[in-house]
Amino acid sequence: MTNVSALGQFMASPEDNKTEKNAHLPGSDSYRPFGAGSIKGAGYSKPMSIDPCLDVEFGSIRHDTEGYSAKTSTLVNGLGREAADFESFHNFDVVMSHTMSESDYRKAREDGFDPKDLEPSEAVTILDKVKTALLESGQVIDGFNDDLDVETLSKITGSSSLARDIEASFEHHDIPLTKDNIEDVLGALEKGALLSSAPKDESKNFLIDNNLEPSIDNLYLADHAVGGPKTGHSSYYMEGGYLNKIAQDDTYEDLDASILEVIEEAGFDTQDEDIKDMARQLLKDGLRLTTDTLQKKKDLEDLSFPLSKEKIIEAAAASIADGKKASEGNLIDPRSLVQKAVSLKKSLYLEEIRFEMSTEVNLRLLRSGIEIDTSYVEKSMEDIRNAQLQIAKALFPDRSDADKLYDLYRNTNEDIDAVKQSPAAVVGALTKEFKSATLEDIFNRSSIIKADYDKAQKTYEAVGTAVRADLGDSIKKAFRNVDELLKDMDLETNDDNRRAVRILSYNHTEVTRISVETVRSWDSKLVDTIDKLKPRAVLDMIREGRNPLKMTLDELSSYLSDKDQNSDERNEKFSRFLYKLEHSGQINDKEKESYIGIYRLFENLKATDHAAIGTVLMSGSEMTIGNLLGASRTLQRSKRGMDYKIDDEFGGLESGGFKSVSIDVQIETAFRYYAGKADRAYEHISPEKMLSFEDKGNDILEATLPEFADAMEESEGEDSKALEREYNQRQLQDIRDVLADELCSQSEEELKDSKIPVTVRNLEAMNELIASRIKYNTKNIWNQLRSRIKDKDDSTFEKSDEDAGDAIDKALDNLKNLSEYKNTIDNLSKTVETAMNTADTYIDIRAYKLLYTQLSIAGAMSDAGSYEIPVDMGSSKVSLHLSFRQGDGQSSRIEASIETENFGTVKADLSLSSSEDESGNNQNTIAPKVTGMLTTSAQGRSQTRRFMDNIKYIMTGDASSQDISIMYGAASKTGGSTKAAVSREADTTDKRLIKTAELFIKAVTDSLTMMEES
């Protein structure tokens, strides 16, 4: 049977297949075993890592993998090769500092992800998804150059036109205009300018033979790698899907038919003499003639020199987007991995359609005795499945069923998007079923209704979007009498009620006051819940063992409300609000105070399950912002929630059309509606929108809750968008500063050793904790705690009436008691959290959040046997870092260090030696001896010796003891990791070790006090 490709058009080349890179046949002059690869060239040899996987037959080499088409094949295999190197250059630092733009940050936040809280593998996976989503959507990026303004960029580049070119290219590739990125591009431009003439043929062959991209760096490499005697390669050519070796007696004219076959498969004109000459030249130069090598030969011949600045900039930007150096960019194909991935997705989709449409053709081939080879399809699908599994493991680490969980994650997000785009009529169709209907039920019903609309070719307004502009006029015309209808039912003529009437009409349901309010309440609930079901929330649910598709609206809403109470989310939201409030430039101090109060109202409504809404409903008052504020304050004073009884005798809400429905149903319906509106207001609240609402002549306190919520959901103005970008840029700069900190590497190591997630937020806190070990750092955690906690009413500590500063000092001193360390840290954390919840400036919120995270990390590190102990050092404090480590055998030891003001960096390496009687028997009743070494970076001057001797005396009771030795002039680096730390609660030996550690802390503090007093 004839063996042909099922597509029968294009063949993948060995160069496209990473498993066939640099392959040679046995018996050829240059044959060497696979796995012992090297870059080949005249007079040049450099080791390379080659995958030793090739199906070798004498006389021919069969393709192991064939792409869907020539272009698709190149993309599949190219991505495969680059994916193998992904981790080497797409590390956490590069992704977060150099490739994440403001638009990426904004989109990640819209999806519920805070980049500061993502771990490395998760961050790369999430940001890849964000970038591809932005590229596929074609979203215009507003204010892209907020990193650097045009004037600054022009000064850096020395040219306004060059600055504009770089800015445009960076925007195209969605990378930030940071100084580091700009300087990298300028370096590539400078290097590229030196390539004034086209490379020699030998250099081009070097690139083709070694499958190297035509980058500035590789052009330099090729130019310097050639020059010696040529290596004798055998020549190969493609024929019928096989790579055949040229026989010694063959002439190139004899191979014209095979050459034309390759030219045709590569998509070139078989009558083009230049292409024919290139094909023959490849064979003459000892290179393989395949569709891929021919394409590369053509590309290199077409590459014009000197290189244009536009070409260099575009390739450089794509390379930076991939996490590589600017000079490593492909000058012929300046696309980033993200752009290639989107292109590949489209190609695979088209090929899938081709397969579906060619069934009859394939059947005819089979009947003709022609074998259809689909192995390459299976291989490609296997590669795709493996890539998906990698993503699954990144999102669901340490889970054996990660692939299934990832499928659930993707399906849930797709279903949520489908519900958002489905006809609003689904609300009316499910009104009586919403209490028990799951998200999956809602999706299924939505899909059926949408299919009916599509079949009838009817337009519709969707669940999760505002009415489309093209539908607005027709809807107004169709429902032009709706306001009169609402007035007749004594209902407000607002958009929510109008939409409810339309939904009822779509379902041919009777329009009554009861039906309007019922539909309105479920519509509000559905829209609010779906809007908050962002990818981050879905991911968290699945990680916690929940299946969102099997949860009802009430269950989903309850979960999301609890999630909103997460302190990180709450503080981030309030920080953003305060930043805009303080940087608006149009809001006076009185308005600021008022706006913060209203913000706190909606935050409190969320925290108390909307208790104030129930209070206002019970009173029969109008649901205005002012009445909600009053009810909220009353509840706070009485410290109680909704403790009223709902029954049919309560008539606060009874009127006209309500008499046929029990009062508890009336209140439940109204409560559901208003709670949804409150959540929508809280989700979208911003000071600029509040100011705009008042500028239109509205009084916020007199406005109804629906009116205020609708105002908050309106689109942002240009000033508001500018503030949003400014805030995002500040967060991005914070991320870059954290990762650029010289302490970051040590912080990463210590976090990993203590099994604490390595996130930007934790790295920032860990950087500060390590910096607190450094003398003269007046802004260390302990001094910050002392200066910022000023609330005398705080009752976290035993005496609520004592000065807050004294209470903090007492708590800090208690940290020297390691047995109470964790409890003391927890109490300090509660105190900071209380202060954070009452802060009303952006700077204060940020400072308290950093303190809180530092304390959380200090507490987690203590679980791993590592401690930060504040020690007085003159007018300030410095951290003594102490950790327990597993020593030889079953023994444990103490490592500690402290940077003193006058006696250098003091370190201790101490352990307990077993006491034995004269017969050599172990005596557990006798206290073990402390042995080890004390070192200091200071020289052994008299004062230093006195200080060190005193520590030794307190530890041993004998200044002349030989159990502890002292070294002067030792290395001065402080800190150190907590690797192999053991729990402080392990056994009796550990408890004794704790006492020894506490004794060392006392020895240091007492010796410092003694020397200060003397």
Side-chain angles (χ1 to χ4, degrees):
M1 297 179 72
T2 305
N3 195 322
V4 299
S5 164
L7 293 180
Q9 285 196 351
F10 302 100
M11 307 300 295
S13 70
E15 281 73 11
D16 278 340
N17 184 356
K18 66 179 180 179
T19 64
E20 296 187 20
K21 192 190 302 181
N22 298 323
H24 293 277
L25 288 176
S28 68
D29 294 338
S30 58
Y31 171 75
R32 63 185 179 282
F34 256 82
S38 67
I39 291 182
K40 306 182 298 298
Y44 183 85
S45 178
K46 177 181 177 182
M48 290 185 69
S49 174
I50 300 176
D51 186 357
C53 177
L54 181 66
D55 178 19
V56 178
E57 298 178 14
F58 288 101
S60 70
I61 299 176
R62 179 60 185 161
H63 286 280
D64 180 53
T65 300
E66 297 176 4
Y68 289 100
S69 65
K71 293 181 179 179
T72 304
S73 171
T74 301
L75 286 168
V76 169
N77 292 294
L79 285 170
R81 284 196 306 273
E82 290 165 326
D85 297 326
F86 187 84
E87 291 299 328
S88 66
F89 54 77
H90 255 71
N91 55 58
F92 189 46
D93 187 1
V94 170
V95 170
M96 302 295 277
S97 298
H98 300 288
T99 69
M100 180 168 60
S101 67
E102 188 274 333
S103 57
D104 298 333
Y105 181 89
R106 185 196 325 159
K107 181 66 168 65
R109 290 298 305 166
E110 288 173 359
D111 287 348
F113 296 99
D114 188 338
K116 291 184 178 181
D117 292 325
L118 297 176
E119 295 186 58
S121 61
E122 185 183 36
V124 172
T125 302
I126 296 301
L127 290 174
D128 276 352
K129 174 64 176 175
V130 164
K131 282 184 175 291
T132 54
L134 287 174
L135 182 59
E136 289 181 297
S137 69
Q139 180 176 327
V140 176
I141 303 172
D142 296 323
F144 181 82
N145 64 340
D146 284 354
D147 288 272
L148 295 173
D149 56 53
V150 176
E151 183 178 354
T152 303
L153 186 58
S154 298
K155 288 180 180 179
I156 294 174
T157 60
S159 164
S160 58
S161 63
L162 181 60
R164 287 192 295 271
D165 289 340
I166 292 176
E167 179 186 7
S169 186
F170 275 39
E171 179 176 354
H172 177 63
H173 289 284
D174 188 27
I175 54 175
L177 281 164
T178 64
K179 288 185 179 180
D180 286 344
N181 285 346
I182 298 301
E183 289 171 358
D184 198 11
V185 172
L186 294 178
L189 282 166
E190 183 177 354
K191 195 172 183 179
L194 299 177
L195 296 169
S196 56
S197 58
K200 295 175 289 187
D201 288 340
E202 292 87 348
S203 298
K204 295 176 184 176
N205 289 344
F206 177 88
L207 294 174
I208 295 170
D209 198 21
N210 289 285
N211 196 30
L212 297 175
E213 289 185 346
S215 67
I216 291 173
D217 282 353
N218 285 340
L219 286 170
Y220 266 91
L221 172 63
D223 193 41
H224 290 82
V226 299
K230 291 186 178 181
T231 57
H233 293 338
S234 297
S235 296
Y236 302 87
Y237 64 94
M238 290 295 302
E239 184 177 48
Y242 289 86
L243 192 65
N244 296 306
K245 182 179 178 180
I246 295 178
Q248 291 183 353
D249 57 351
D250 278 341
T251 64
Y252 296 111
E253 287 73 17
D254 296 334
L255 300 173
D256 274 350
S258 297
I259 289 174
L260 289 176
E261 179 184 344
V262 174
I263 291 174
E264 185 177 9
E265 288 188 0
F268 295 118
D269 184 359
T270 55
Q271 302 301 314
D272 190 328
E273 292 299 326
D274 290 337
I275 290 294
K276 292 179 184 179
D277 289 341
M278 290 181 197
R280 295 189 186 104
Q281 191 62 48
L282 283 170
L283 294 173
K284 289 178 182 179
D285 291 339
L287 301 177
R288 285 180 281 185
L289 175 59
T290 68
T291 57
D292 186 63
T293 58
L294 183 59
Q295 181 67 59
K296 288 179 179 177
K297 177 75 172 176
K298 178 70 165 58
D299 289 340
L300 286 169
E301 293 296 336
D302 291 345
L303 189 60
S304 59
F305 290 84
L307 296 168
S308 68
K309 67 175 183 179
E310 292 80 12
K311 185 176 289 292
I312 294 175
I313 290 171
E314 194 67 21
S319 188
I320 292 173
D322 290 343
K324 300 185 290 187
K325 292 192 306 179
S327 55
E328 294 177 353
N330 190 321
L331 295 165
I332 293 173
D333 183 12
R335 293 179 299 163
S336 67
L337 283 174
V338 170
Q339 291 170 327
K340 290 178 183 179
V342 173
S343 177
L344 175 58
K345 179 180 179 181
K346 294 176 182 177
S347 297
L348 293 176
Y349 176 70
L350 291 174
E351 296 296 351
E352 182 181 355
I353 293 175
R354 285 178 56 194
F355 266 110
E356 291 175 354
M357 294 176 64
S358 63
T359 304
E360 294 145 90
V361 175
N362 291 336
L363 181 59
R364 179 64 61 88
L365 289 173
L366 286 169
R367 285 175 174 169
S368 301
I370 299 175
E371 177 186 347
I372 301 175
D373 181 14
T374 59
S375 60
Y376 63 94
V377 179
E378 295 169 4
K379 180 65 169 65
S380 297
M381 292 307 299
E382 181 183 351
D383 291 339
I384 291 172
R385 283 192 292 269
N386 288 336
Q388 289 179 338
L389 184 59
Q390 291 176 9
I391 296 173
K393 289 181 177 179
L395 295 179
F396 301 98
D398 304 321
R399 291 294 299 266
S400 59
D401 56 346
D403 55 339
K404 295 180 180 178
L405 296 179
Y406 178 57
D407 286 342
L408 176 59
Y409 173 69
R410 287 196 308 159
N411 292 338
T412 302
N413 285 322
E414 290 171 1
D415 288 0
I416 290 168
D417 288 338
V419 172
K420 287 181 180 179
Q421 301 303 321
S422 66
V426 70
V427 179
L430 285 172
T431 297
K432 295 180 180 180
E433 302 172 33
F434 269 128
K435 280 197 173 184
S436 60
T438 65
L439 180 59
E440 188 173 47
D441 295 332
I442 296 171
F443 165 73
N444 289 335
R445 182 66 69 86
S446 299
S447 300
I448 293 171
I449 293 176
K450 183 178 185 302
D452 290 341
Y453 272 83
D454 291 341
K455 185 177 181 180
Q457 296 184 335
K458 291 173 21 180
T459 56
Y460 56 84
E461 61 177 307
V463 169
T465 59
V467 177
R468 287 177 8 216
D470 60 325
L471 297 180
D473 291 340
S474 60
I475 285 178
K476 287 179 181 178
K477 184 176 180 181
F479 295 94
R480 55 185 176 273
N481 298 323
V482 68
D483 284 1
E484 288 76 7
L485 182 62
L486 291 172
K487 290 176 182 177
D488 290 343
M489 292 184 290
D490 197 23
L491 288 171
E492 290 183 63
T493 54
N494 59 34
D495 288 339
D496 291 332
N497 287 335
R498 295 185 187 105
R499 176 175 159 101
V501 171
R502 294 197 299 272
I503 290 173
L504 288 166
S505 300
Y506 299 148
N507 287 275
H508 308 291
T509 304
E510 183 182 6
V511 178
T512 66
R513 176 166 183 163
I514 296 170
S515 63
V516 168
E517 294 199 330
T518 301
V519 166
R520 182 187 67 179
S521 69
W522 282 117
D523 185 35
S524 175
K525 181 94 168 183
L526 177 63
V527 171
D528 180 56
T529 303
I530 292 296
D531 187 55
K532 289 192 294 186
L533 265 177
K534 298 175 179 178
R536 168 91 263 181
V538 173
L539 185 63
D540 288 343
M541 284 184 190
I542 297 174
R543 284 175 172 175
E544 294 169 13
R546 304 170 190 265
N547 183 344
L549 294 176
K550 301 299 182 182
M551 297 170 68
T552 66
L553 274 185
D554 284 336
E555 290 169 341
L556 289 168
S557 178
S558 177
Y559 175 90
L560 293 169
S561 293
D562 291 341
K563 185 177 174 63
D564 284 340
Q565 297 312 304
N566 176 278
S567 61
D568 288 341
E569 292 290 332
R570 191 176 64 248
N571 290 322
E572 161 62 23
K573 183 174 179 63
F574 192 40
S575 294
R576 187 179 295 263
F577 180 86
L578 289 175
Y579 184 90
K580 292 181 177 181
L581 190 68
E582 295 167 7
H583 292 78
S584 169
Q586 303 178 48
I587 301 174
N588 59 44
D589 290 342
K590 184 178 180 179
E591 288 170 333
K592 286 179 182 178
E593 183 179 356
S594 172
Y595 292 176
I596 290 174
I598 293 169
Y599 180 95
R600 292 290 194 191
L601 164 66
F602 285 98
E603 184 180 59
N604 187 58
L605 284 173
K606 175 71 71 174
T608 59
D609 293 329
H610 309 95
I613 290 177
T615 299
V616 174
L617 286 173
M618 290 294 297
S619 69
S621 302
E622 188 177 11
M623 193 63 65
T624 65
I625 304 301
N627 287 340
L628 281 171
L629 272 172
S632 180
R633 289 165 182 162
T634 299
L635 289 171
Q636 286 178 331
R637 284 194 298 269
S638 62
K639 294 185 179 180
R640 62 182 177 84
M642 297 172 65
D643 55 355
Y644 50 79
K645 178 183 178 182
I646 301 175
D647 56 37
D648 291 338
E649 295 182 1
F650 175 75
L653 292 179
E654 284 195 17
S655 63
F658 274 72
K659 292 182 179 179
S660 62
V661 182
S662 60
I663 199 64
D664 57 337
V665 174
Q666 295 177 40
I667 288 187
E668 180 186 7
T669 299
F671 184 85
R672 184 188 304 117
Y673 168 64
Y674 287 121
K677 298 302 288 187
D679 286 350
R680 302 291 292 167
Y682 180 61
E683 181 75 14
H684 299 281
I685 193 169
S686 72
E688 314 88 70
K689 291 180 180 178
M690 295 167 79
L691 180 63
S692 175
F693 185 67
E694 289 191 316
D695 286 345
K696 293 176 182 178
N698 299 302
D699 185 325
I700 292 179
L701 295 181
E702 293 181 2
T704 64
L705 175 55
E707 289 172 343
F708 182 78
D710 290 344
M712 294 304 99
E713 287 194 79
E714 289 181 0
S715 299
E716 291 182 312
E718 290 304 315
D719 290 343
S720 180
K721 289 180 180 179
L723 278 175
E724 182 74 14
R725 290 194 297 269
E726 184 181 312
Y727 178 83
N728 291 341
Q729 291 291 356
R730 180 155 185 165
Q731 306 314 304
L732 278 171
Q733 190 56 52
D734 286 345
I735 289 172
R736 294 165 189 155
D737 290 344
V738 169
L739 295 174
D741 194 304
E742 60 183 5
L743 296 174
C744 196
S745 294
Q746 184 178 347
S747 293
E748 181 183 5
E749 180 185 354
E750 294 201 27
L751 288 173
K752 285 181 177 178
D753 290 341
S754 294
K755 295 181 173 54
I756 299 172
V758 179
T759 65
V760 171
R761 195 181 304 282
N762 288 345
L763 284 169
E764 179 184 27
M766 193 70 235
N767 288 349
E768 294 298 322
L769 278 177
I770 295 175
S772 296
R773 303 170 191 168
I774 302 172
K775 63 183 179 181
Y776 304 131
N777 178 15
T778 58
K779 293 184 178 180
N780 65 50
I781 179 176
W782 318 119
N783 294 337
Q784 287 287 307
L785 281 169
R786 183 65 174 78
S787 64
R788 286 193 169 275
I789 306 301
K790 301 175 182 179
D791 186 2
K792 296 183 180 182
D793 294 328
D794 181 80
S795 58
T796 301
F797 301 101
E798 294 180 5
K799 296 181 180 179
S800 60
D801 57 341
E802 66 181 337
D803 180 77
D806 291 340
I808 290 294
D809 283 340
K810 180 179 179 181
L812 297 184
D813 190 59
N814 197 44
L815 289 174
K816 298 179 178 69
N817 180 356
L818 299 187
S819 298
E820 292 297 320
Y821 186 92
K822 187 64 180 295
N823 288 335
T824 305
I825 287 288
D826 289 344
N827 284 337
L828 284 168
S829 297
K830 292 175 183 176
T831 301
V832 171
E833 187 174 24
T834 299
M836 183 163 53
N837 290 337
T838 57
D840 56 6
T841 69
Y842 171 77
I843 294 298
D844 283 345
I845 287 284
R846 184 165 170 15
Y848 284 127
K849 178 59 184 173
L850 181 56
L851 280 174
Y852 184 84
T853 308
Q854 289 182 74
L855 290 169
S856 297
I857 289 177
M861 290 178 68
S862 71
D863 290 334
S866 183
Y867 304 85
E868 303 294 324
I869 313 296
V871 174
D872 288 324
M873 197 75 64
S875 59
S876 184
K877 292 181 182 292
V878 68
S879 285
L880 183 155
H881 179 62
L882 181 147
S883 60
F884 296 155
R885 296 180 182 275
Q886 189 70 47
D888 297 333
Q890 297 299 315
S891 64
S892 299
R893 72 182 205 276
I894 300 166
E895 286 188 5
S897 66
I898 182 171
E899 188 172 313
T900 68
E901 189 171 359
N902 300 310
F903 312 111
T905 298
V906 177
K907 293 185 177 182
D909 189 342
L910 307 171
S911 58
L912 301 179
S913 62
S914 300
S915 299
E916 299 180 351
D917 60 18
E918 294 179 357
S919 302
N921 297 317
N922 192 9
Q923 298 293 305
N924 291 328
T925 57
I926 302 175
K929 292 191 299 183
V930 180
T931 62
M933 176 176 284
L934 299 174
T935 67
T936 176
S937 60
Q939 300 301 317
R941 298 184 178 89
S942 59
Q943 288 292 86
T944 302
R945 288 183 178 276
R946 184 183 172 197
F947 172 73
M948 298 295 287
D949 285 343
N950 199 65
I951 294 176
K952 178 179 176 179
Y953 174 76
I954 295 175
M955 294 297 299
T956 64
D958 182 2
S960 62
S961 171
Q962 300 299 309
D963 294 328
I964 295 180
S965 58
I966 300 176
M967 180 191 300
Y968 298 93
S972 61
K973 184 179 178 181
T974 60
S977 71
T978 59
K979 190 177 294 181
V982 297
S983 171
R984 57 186 172 85
E985 299 175 343
D987 52 35
T988 304
T989 303
D990 287 336
K991 291 180 180 178
R992 292 182 180 184
L993 204 66
I994 289 172
K995 293 299 181 184
T996 304
E998 291 173 344
L999 181 61
F1000 174 74
I1001 296 169
K1002 183 178 187 303
V1004 171
T1005 55
D1006 287 358
S1007 298
L1008 285 170
T1009 302
M1010 177 195 74
M1011 297 303 294
E1012 186 177 341
E1013 292 175 349
S1014 63

